[in-house]
Amino acid sequence: MNRHLCVWLFRHPSLNGYLQCHIQLHSHQFRQIHLDTRLQVFRQNRNCILHLLSKNWSRRYCHQDTKMLWKHKALQKYMENLSKEYQTLEQCLQHIPVNEENRRSLNRRHAELAPLAAIYQEIQETEQAIEELESMCKSRQSLALWPRLECSSVIIAHFNLELLDSSNPPTSASQVAGTTGLNKQDEKQLQELALEERQTIDQKINMLYNELFQSLVPKEKYDKNDVILEVTAGRTTGGDICQQFTREIFDMYQNYSCYKHWQFELLNYTPADYGGLHHAAARISGDGVYKHLKYEGGIHRVQRIPEVGLSSRMQRIHTGTMSVIVLPQPDEVDVKLDPKDLRIDTFRAKGAGGQHVNKTDSAVRLVHIPTGLVVECQQERSQIKNKEIAFRVLRARLYQQIIEKDKRQQQSARKLQVGTRAQSERIRTYNFTQDRVSDHRIAYEVRDIKEFLCGGKGLDQLIQRLLQSADEEAIAELLDEHLKSAK
Amino acid sequence: MELWGRMLWALLSGPGRRGSTRGWAFSSWQPQPPLAGLSSAIELVSHWTGVFEKRGIPEARESSEYIVAHVLGAKTFQSLRPALWTQPLTSQQLQCIRELSSRRLQRMPVQYILGEWDFQGLSLRMVPPVFIPRPETEELVEWVLEEVAQRSHAVGSPGSPLILEVGCGSGAISLSLLSQLPQERLRGSSWMREDRAAPSPLWFTDSNAYHIYLARLWPRRKGCWSRVIAVDKREAAISLTHENAQRLRLQDRIWIIHLDMTSERSWTHLPWGPMDLIVSNPPYVFHQDMEQLAPEIRSYEDPAALDGGEEGMDIITHILALAPRLLKDSGSIFLEVDPRHPELVSSWLQSRPDLYLNLVAVRRDFCGRPRFLHIRRSGP
């Protein structure tokens, strides 16, 4: 069982992060080399598969960190429990009569567990296939202990050979082949067959583990939503480094949404003097926008020697900050707005209004009385359009409040968290003098700041890494909870 | 002052003329010194705001912002591409801004200066003296759309009502209704070919002529999509509505007719069937209030689009009186009125039981003033 765990841990790419510190030098060849090239190595060296694997397995097992093992044992246990629950549910729903309410909730749970149970089943079957393959090899264990054996033990197994006398080990493939009546050509063919089979099984199990991890990660409620992105320059004692930086970051996000083929609609843009940006807001709509941008919220810090603007006079390193807020955009039904709670301020003409007055001031201010939120808009010439935009922004802000309330209740200890805690923490530092961007949550560094600020591949890669870390943390948390509840 | 206003209006009332320069001869406008060096958008706005304020022009900042934004190709200053705010302007752009601002100094409304304005998100051409749509009227359109949606929901089929607009002006109400009402399309390309062959009718002053014309064309259009008939007594309004309809590619769904509602003759033979809805923003200013209107309105907009007679009720009562001939049973009339009118209209309707009209609802505008009336016909 443990051997299987090792293989499983080793194979899954997303766990490489955990295993990096634990994999020893001699097994590097496994990690870095792609399956195909490994096959080449096999073919070249004509080593016994089992021989190689078993040697490394035992060593790796010894060096495994017990904590990691425990964590992944926990995953195994979790999956076992889930599949047991699924089976009992199935029996329960079929045989035991239950009342309507319970039935509905049981049905729901059943539907939830169905895909997980299916994947787990498949994994079991595939692991069994591997086991069979290896047990066939294992029965020829004596062969495995001979380091210079060059023929594949699978061939032997395939032909149901007798266990050779250990006192008289064969020293070459041809010797073995000779005793069994095989010629070199058949040998090679069978070797290749065996390796191919092993390869397909490996690929299949990789895929299954990927699927399992994807289904286990809890889906965020708001991932598919559009967002409103707001940037605000921080405050410094002097100079306008924050405002310049805010403009660069806003441009970066605009380019990024172009790169991802999203729509970028400017809602508000308030420039500062000398070309900087005080605060701005934009609506970004497309596929999975919130999923990608949710970890961008927080304080971004900049360190540079300014070239333009007020601060450029003294050639010293300045530090500035700016904050990014990402609000998922709700659908109409998500946020209920009672007209009684709203006060709409527009230009009020004295007297009768209407035909008596010709005014061009179409600015609208929306005040939500219970929460005190104020939204202003004068993007459009048409007053009713300004009102629509203001409503949209107000809905998004209220929605954000609802989400923050949810998050606070969850009390997650995750490092990558979206919510109030992240808002006041520095998440990223952009150091122009050293030409690097570092994200503090995952200790990830990117070089070439200029390319990064173009909002293309560099930013995308960082975001992918963030999402990956978040998934891993989510699963770890899931397992922790499960263990706690099991106790 | 009034004479000057009338002369100005007469000069400007040619069709399609966008605020001519002839007005300068009558004003005491002084040439502004050229701005030294290159100026950015922000600096220009500050400069002209100062100039307008000194001359007592209302909405000084908004006016200069709209003018500068327009010259730079944006609708509002806020929506201008941020890079353009600090970029220096070309001399051509500066000259353009100077010209437009000089018109503002003569109290020309910003909408006429720019030659366009937005209504319900649609961009419409504005030409003096055709009446400039007010923001309150946007809410009238919203109400009508709500009613149509409700009604079609109740009936169970998508609504394609026949709508009449009295006093279309620039076509704001008609075109915004058309652009937001659902349309049903007939399947098959033969219908499309037919449609292209038919010339879009404009206006006819000879009632016989258009009577026959419409009778010929109408059957082809039956069961297609929401249709609006827009009527106005000013030729300038008719041509402006047509221009806007073409700009928005709605010219095939709107019938624009040059017709004076108040003359008896027009309604003796009607070529079209009874309407589902009548919508109007009729002139409703009390006659004695006309003098107190701002110079922007008095000197540039058509007084006939504003003056509603002694109590502002003349056109309103005309429309209501025509209801039996124009409106289907349980059809509706939606009007924008002066805040003093709901009571006056209510008592007037009570004095005319022969019309079988009821004041069903009064809606307030965004300033809280009673502004819109919903009157329904019920009876023979």
Side-chain angles (χ1 to χ4, degrees):
Chain A
M1 155 86 157
N2 285 333
R3 208 167 51 219
H4 290 265
L5 254 182
C6 293
V7 175
W8 171 49
L9 292 177
F10 160 74
R11 300 280 185 208
H12 197 278
S14 87
L15 290 177
N16 276 345
Y18 290 125
L19 295 177
Q20 242 152 35
C21 35
H22 302 294
I23 290 186
Q24 301 303 305
L25 266 169
H26 57 261
S27 50
H28 262 248
Q29 59 192 351
F30 264 54
R31 186 159 56 86
Q32 298 299 338
I33 300 172
H34 187 65
L35 269 171
D36 277 341
T37 53
R38 212 184 312 159
L39 210 56
Q40 287 296 322
V41 169
F42 284 165
R43 286 211 182 112
Q44 276 161 27
N45 299 337
R46 296 175 79 206
N47 275 325
C48 164
I49 300 170
L50 179 61
H51 147 71
L52 197 59
L53 284 174
S54 68
K55 186 169 83 170
N56 285 300
W57 271 352
S58 42
R59 286 205 203 168
R60 206 179 311 121
Y61 176 56
C62 296
H63 293 288
Q64 275 296 338
D65 189 36
T66 41
K67 186 179 173 204
M68 289 301 137
L69 200 61
W70 166 80
K71 267 214 162 108
H72 300 293
K73 228 170 154 171
L75 185 60
Q76 278 280 346
K77 207 168 149 201
Y78 182 67
M79 287 311 299
E80 268 177 47
N81 284 344
L82 275 187
S83 114
K84 266 187 227 152
E85 193 184 335
Y86 179 75
Q87 278 160 6
T88 45
L89 264 181
E90 211 166 307
Q91 285 185 347
C92 195
L93 284 171
Q94 278 174 9
H95 303 296
I96 306 168
V98 272
N99 64 4
E100 265 310 305
E101 219 182 85
N102 283 349
R103 176 165 278 273
R104 237 180 290 140
S105 59
L106 288 176
N107 264 328
R108 218 181 310 135
R109 184 74 181 143
H110 186 259
E112 264 174 34
L113 292 177
L116 291 173
I119 297 176
Y120 188 61
Q121 181 85 356
E122 270 192 69
I123 291 177
Q124 298 272 49
E125 283 166 11
T126 321
E127 282 183 350
Q128 214 175 1
I130 297 178
E131 227 184 276
E132 275 175 21
L133 198 62
E134 276 138 26
S135 68
M136 283 199 294
C137 308
K138 207 180 167 201
S139 66
R140 313 295 173 211
Q141 221 170 35
S142 44
L143 291 171
L145 296 174
W146 300 326
R148 285 188 296 128
L149 191 67
E150 286 172 83
C151 72
S152 166
S153 57
V154 176
I155 301 168
I156 300 170
H158 205 77
F159 281 82
N160 276 324
L161 296 173
E162 305 278 330
L163 188 64
L164 296 171
D165 189 7
S166 54
S167 59
N168 193 16
T171 47
S172 71
S174 47
Q175 240 192 358
V176 179
T179 52
T180 57
L182 285 171
N183 54 15
K184 270 229 156 69
Q185 245 184 339
D186 284 341
E187 240 180 75
K188 268 205 196 116
Q189 255 184 359
L190 289 163
Q191 202 173 9
E192 282 173 29
L193 260 173
L195 292 172
E196 268 176 47
E197 198 181 320
R198 187 56 202 254
Q199 195 189 8
T200 40
I201 295 182
D202 280 340
Q203 277 181 355
K204 186 171 176 202
I205 220 176
N206 264 338
M207 201 187 64
L208 286 173
Y209 287 135
N210 270 327
E211 257 188 72
L212 178 68
F213 268 66
Q214 284 303 310
S215 347
L216 275 183
V217 173
K219 300 275 174 294
E220 286 282 319
K221 240 166 51 166
Y222 319 106
D223 267 355
K224 53 175 177 44
N225 285 20
D226 299 338
V227 302
I228 286 184
L229 183 90
E230 290 186 2
V231 297
T232 314
R235 270 181 251 137
T236 44
T237 48
D240 63 343
I241 182 175
C242 301
Q243 285 93 328
Q244 299 286 352
F245 181 53
T246 308
R247 185 174 48 86
E248 286 169 355
I249 295 289
F250 196 64
D251 288 341
M252 176 178 82
Y253 286 122
Q254 189 162 8
N255 291 333
Y256 185 63
S257 42
C258 205
Y259 175 80
K260 301 285 276 182
H261 307 294
W262 295 331
Q263 266 125 336
F264 190 89
E265 187 193 326
L266 193 65
L267 291 178
N268 177 24
Y269 198 93
T270 310
D273 307 323
Y274 307 102
L277 176 58
H278 202 262
H279 66 265
R283 178 163 191 241
I284 308 177
S285 37
D287 262 341
V289 181
Y290 185 63
K291 178 169 165 223
H292 286 84
L293 293 181
K294 60 187 171 184
Y295 295 116
E296 299 300 300
I299 308 278
H300 297 237
R301 185 169 67 152
V302 64
Q303 286 169 324
R304 79 203 295 184
I305 298 172
E307 300 143 34
V308 290
L310 291 176
S311 321
S312 62
R313 264 182 283 142
M314 338 195 164
Q315 289 288 304
R316 267 187 280 163
I317 296 183
H318 285 250
T319 306
T321 58
M322 57 86 73
S323 84
V324 174
I325 299 176
V326 177
L327 310 172
Q329 275 254 287
D331 298 324
E332 293 253 336
V333 288
D334 292 335
V335 181
K336 307 264 185 311
L337 277 177
D338 194 351
K340 277 187 269 128
D341 291 335
L342 294 170
R343 196 183 77 224
I344 306 174
D345 289 340
T346 55
F347 176 88
R348 261 189 91 99
K350 296 186 222 42
Q355 287 175 2
H356 293 77
V357 172
N358 175 28
K359 62 163 174 90
T360 54
D361 183 0
S362 55
V364 171
R365 189 189 320 150
L366 218 56
V367 180
H368 189 240
I369 302 167
T371 54
L373 281 173
V374 178
V375 177
E376 284 183 15
C377 179
Q378 37 177 335
Q379 279 298 110
E380 296 280 332
R381 290 196 288 222
S382 152
Q383 192 166 63
I384 220 168
K385 286 289 165 202
N386 279 335
K387 203 158 47 145
E388 271 176 32
I389 296 175
F391 263 102
R392 244 190 283 158
V393 176
L394 181 68
R395 275 216 161 81
R397 296 236 179 104
L398 286 173
Y399 198 53
Q400 179 67 7
Q401 283 189 348
I402 294 173
I403 293 171
E404 280 177 14
K405 214 175 10 162
D406 279 345
K407 292 278 171 186
R408 251 178 281 148
Q409 284 170 357
Q410 273 180 15
Q411 287 176 3
S412 173
R414 288 197 233 163
K415 278 191 287 174
L416 274 170
Q417 186 176 259
V418 181
T420 41
R421 231 184 89 189
Q423 291 304 322
S424 55
E425 278 189 4
R426 284 202 205 112
I427 57 166
R428 212 175 283 165
T429 298
Y430 298 71
N431 196 322
F432 281 78
T433 44
Q434 295 171 15
D435 194 34
R436 63 179 166 83
V437 180
S438 10
D439 194 303
H440 304 301
R441 296 165 295 184
I442 53 173
Y444 186 79
E445 268 184 27
V446 184
R447 293 275 153 184
D448 197 359
I449 255 191
K450 284 270 163 13
E451 201 268 315
F452 188 82
L453 286 176
C454 289
K457 208 153 157 227
L459 179 61
D460 199 32
Q461 277 179 350
L462 173 59
I463 288 179
Q464 293 299 328
R465 282 285 291 114
L466 283 166
L467 289 178
Q468 218 176 1
S469 297
D471 281 350
E472 287 167 12
E473 280 188 332
I475 292 186
E477 204 179 63
L478 193 68
L479 296 178
D480 278 340
E481 269 176 44
H482 177 255
L483 274 173
K484 278 189 210 143
S485 61
K487 282 174 190 151
Chain B
M1 192 58 174
E2 202 186 336
L3 182 65
W4 170 61
R6 280 196 198 275
M7 283 168 73
L8 202 61
W9 173 52
L11 279 167
L12 296 171
S13 65
R17 192 177 292 281
R18 192 208 292 200
S20 81
T21 53
R22 289 189 204 163
W24 294 0
F26 300 98
S27 74
S28 57
W29 169 79
Q30 281 140 23
Q32 300 295 321
L35 293 163
L38 301 163
S39 299
S40 68
I42 298 182
E43 289 163 1
L44 276 169
V45 166
S46 308
H47 170 80
W48 285 107
T49 305
V51 170
F52 292 153
E53 277 173 350
K54 231 183 290 174
R55 295 276 298 272
I57 309 285
E59 292 197 316
R61 174 156 281 274
E62 285 82 359
S63 306
S64 62
E65 279 183 352
Y66 279 124
I67 288 172
V68 173
H70 180 77
V71 167
L72 292 175
K75 283 193 178 178
T76 60
F77 200 64
Q78 282 290 318
S79 70
L80 201 58
R81 209 156 45 86
L84 295 177
W85 285 19
T86 45
Q87 232 178 57
L89 270 64
T90 67
S91 55
Q92 217 177 0
Q93 288 171 325
L94 289 173
Q95 176 63 21
C96 205
I97 292 175
R98 201 174 300 138
E99 258 182 48
L100 298 181
S101 301
S102 65
R103 289 178 205 172
R104 187 72 190 108
L105 284 169
Q106 293 159 72
R107 306 297 293 262
M108 181 182 272
V110 172
Q111 295 93 334
Y112 287 151
I113 296 174
L114 304 185
E116 61 173 34
W117 201 246
D118 286 3
F119 185 82
Q120 280 263 340
L122 299 176
S123 195
L124 300 171
R125 277 265 291 151
M126 295 285 137
V127 174
V130 180
F131 180 78
I132 298 167
R134 308 298 200 241
E136 283 89 343
T137 317
E138 290 182 321
E139 310 228 341
L140 177 65
V141 172
E142 287 288 301
W143 200 12
V144 172
L145 290 170
E146 278 173 31
E147 284 291 315
V148 169
Q150 248 179 31
R151 224 175 271 194
S152 60
H153 187 75
V155 168
S157 65
S160 59
L162 183 56
I163 302 173
L164 170 70
E165 189 196 347
V166 180
C168 54
S170 53
I173 297 179
S174 297
L175 296 172
S176 56
L177 279 175
L178 275 179
S179 68
Q180 294 181 69
L181 278 174
Q183 14 170 334
E184 324 160 40
R185 289 188 165 273
L186 286 180
R187 291 207 192 98
S189 54
S190 58
W191 171 79
M192 292 300 284
R193 242 182 286 126
E194 227 172 89
D195 202 45
R196 234 171 270 149
S200 58
L202 262 190
W203 59 84
F204 297 87
T205 43
D206 180 355
S207 61
N208 280 327
Y210 72 69
H211 179 179
I212 299 162
Y213 183 72
L214 286 173
R216 232 179 336 122
L217 286 178
W218 210 237
R220 276 192 217 170
R221 293 186 179 265
K222 254 200 192 112
C224 295
W225 39 17
S226 339
R227 298 146 289 174
V228 171
I229 301 170
V231 158
D232 203 290
K233 74 178 187 186
R234 287 278 192 251
E235 207 178 299
I238 296 295
S239 68
L240 186 59
T241 302
H242 182 60
E243 188 182 339
N244 281 325
Q246 287 196 317
R247 244 165 85 120
L248 299 166
R249 310 228 200 136
L250 293 167
Q251 72 272 27
D252 293 334
R253 293 169 63 193
I254 185 169
W255 297 76
I256 310 165
I257 307 203
H258 187 195
L259 181 64
D260 187 349
M261 265 279 309
T262 52
S263 76
E264 274 301 315
R265 194 175 77 90
S266 327
W267 304 111
T268 46
H269 30 255
L270 299 168
W272 53 71
M275 313 290 163
D276 294 293
L277 286 173
I278 299 177
V279 175
S280 184
N281 178 19
Y284 58 70
V285 177
F286 286 44
H287 184 76
Q288 70 250 36
D289 294 337
M290 289 291 289
E291 277 182 353
Q292 273 117 48
L293 297 177
E296 277 86 359
I297 305 174
R298 256 184 309 131
S299 311
Y300 292 90
E301 285 187 291
D302 185 355
L306 295 154
D307 195 340
E310 200 183 312
E311 284 197 314
M313 290 275 285
D314 290 0
I315 317 294
I316 297 173
T317 48
H318 251 110
I319 296 174
L320 295 174
L322 285 169
R325 270 183 274 183
L326 292 177
L327 208 53
K328 277 187 194 162
D329 187 20
S330 79
S332 293
I333 305 176
F334 288 91
L335 297 174
E336 179 183 323
V337 294
D338 185 278
R340 290 164 278 185
H341 281 152
E343 283 168 13
L344 297 174
V345 168
S346 180
S347 48
W348 187 85
L349 284 176
Q350 278 169 8
S351 72
R352 292 287 304 266
D354 56 308
L355 296 173
Y356 297 99
L357 294 172
N358 294 313
L359 179 58
V360 172
V362 177
R363 200 181 250 209
R364 288 173 185 268
D365 62 22
F366 49 77
C367 298
R369 303 186 184 108
R371 182 66 63 187
F372 310 109
L373 305 178
H374 178 190
I375 296 147
R376 193 177 283 155
R377 182 176 178 217
S378 50

